[in-house]
Amino acid sequence: MTSSASSSLAIVLALIAAALFACAAVAQQSAAAAVPDGALVRGVLRSGRWWAGVGGDLGGYLVQVAALAVGSVAVVQPVLVSMLLFALPLSARFSGLRMRPSTWVAAVGLTAALVIFVAVGEPTEGDADAPWSAWAAPLAVVVGIALVAAAVGVSARRRASRAALSFGIAGGLLFGVAVAFTKYVTDLVERGLLVAATSWQTYALVAAGVAGFYLQQRAFQAGPLAASLPAVTIGEPLAAVALGVVVLQERIDVGGVRGPVVIAALAVMIVTTIALSRVQATAGEPQTARSPDGVPPAVG
């Protein structure tokens, strides 16, 4: 297969994976939102819709692996960000809402900024075998920020937008921690399951992944998908890149015009995420809710 054909196939597979991840997020958010406070775990485990979302995540991951098998990370990862452009309109559709132009602008802006951040920065692979002494302080900072964000989410239960945003940030940061450990643990598994089972990095990966997943579900329960999914989506690469640079000695190319472009992309990511988190004024209204002219209420 030629290089161009491989890249084209990788893009198609990545788009399929993005669509599956989007469907999974919509299913899990709608299931979690129907669960009362204090019964999240029990409630979602009894929901067929939530399990369908888990299946979508698994399917998306398998297709993502297939995409990476025929294409580079630099091609596949930016395409996966298009999940937002699938998930937000799907969520609005099944909630009986319609997306306003301003919401589309924010969603497209966030997606473009994420793609630019990954593509222009071009993080290089570093030393995955970093000792605990190198991990301790940076890991404590990232986890500490995640805990603060989670605490804000708990205290803001009556403000759906803020709670969903805060839980989403916390979950995304912990997903980023899991990503930072993934390469090393994958190498350990190739050397043998016993080697992986005796490594602290394996348990750090599992703990970060489980905690991040739980906080993501809390975000889905707290408010609309537009308030939570963008925060999760930007939190993961930011934490992974930060740990990669500080701990694993990875490098981001910020020479020449790349530096201002990366900084501008980061600023756009933050602004659009906050803007999307406020898209919830009518999120709790049922599908039958109509404006005086019979048009479904708008998102944004």
Side-chain angles (χ1 to χ4, degrees):
M1 184 179 295
T2 64
S3 177
S4 60
S6 296
S7 294
S8 298
L9 179 58
I11 290 172
V12 171
L13 290 172
L15 284 171
I16 294 172
L20 288 171
F21 285 137
C23 292
V26 172
Q28 290 176 5
Q29 192 275 332
S30 62
V35 177
D37 289 342
L40 177 62
V41 175
R42 183 172 66 254
V44 296
L45 289 179
R46 293 176 177 175
S47 170
R49 183 181 302 177
W50 186 83
W51 281 108
V54 172
D57 273 335
L58 179 59
Y61 177 73
L62 293 175
V63 177
Q64 178 184 355
V65 170
L68 289 171
V70 297
S72 67
V73 173
V75 171
V76 173
Q77 291 304 120
V79 176
L80 288 175
V81 174
S82 65
M83 170 186 67
L84 285 170
L85 299 182
F86 291 112
L88 296 184
L90 273 176
S91 179
R93 172 66 180 84
F94 287 107
S95 299
L97 309 174
R98 58 186 174 86
M99 291 178 64
R100 291 176 178 171
S102 59
T103 307
W104 276 111
V105 170
V108 171
L110 175 56
T111 302
L114 275 164
V115 171
I116 291 170
F117 180 81
V118 173
V120 175
E122 291 185 330
T124 60
E125 186 173 326
D127 178 19
D129 189 14
W132 166 250
S133 58
W135 279 102
L139 196 58
V141 171
V142 175
V143 173
I145 295 173
L147 290 174
V148 170
V152 172
V154 171
S155 65
R157 285 183 301 176
R158 295 184 181 277
R159 302 185 63 176
S161 172
R162 180 176 296 181
L165 175 65
S166 299
F167 282 128
I169 290 172
L173 290 176
L174 292 180
F175 281 145
V177 171
V179 168
F181 283 114
T182 297
K183 169 62 177 173
Y184 183 67
V185 173
T186 301
D187 291 342
L188 289 180
V189 171
E190 292 177 354
R191 290 158 54 187
L193 293 178
L194 182 60
V195 176
T198 56
S199 170
W200 68 267
Q201 287 94 336
T202 301
Y203 297 98
L205 167 61
V206 172
V210 171
F213 185 74
Y214 171 74
L215 289 169
Q216 181 189 53
Q217 303 308 307
R218 288 292 301 267
F220 288 165
Q221 180 188 33
L225 201 66
S228 56
L229 189 59
V232 175
T233 304
I234 72 164
E236 179 177 332
L238 290 182
V241 168
L243 289 172
V245 170
V246 175
V247 180
L248 305 180
Q249 299 180 350
E250 296 178 354
R251 293 291 178 267
I252 296 179
D253 189 351
V254 291
V257 298
R258 290 177 181 263
V261 171
V262 169
I263 293 173
L266 180 59
V268 171
M269 287 159 59
I270 295 171
V271 171
T272 52
T273 298
I274 294 173
L276 287 168
S277 75
R278 295 174 177 170
V279 181
Q280 57 91 38
T282 58
E285 298 180 16
Q287 188 164 354
T288 54
R290 300 273 170 174
S291 58
D293 59 0
V295 179
V299 175

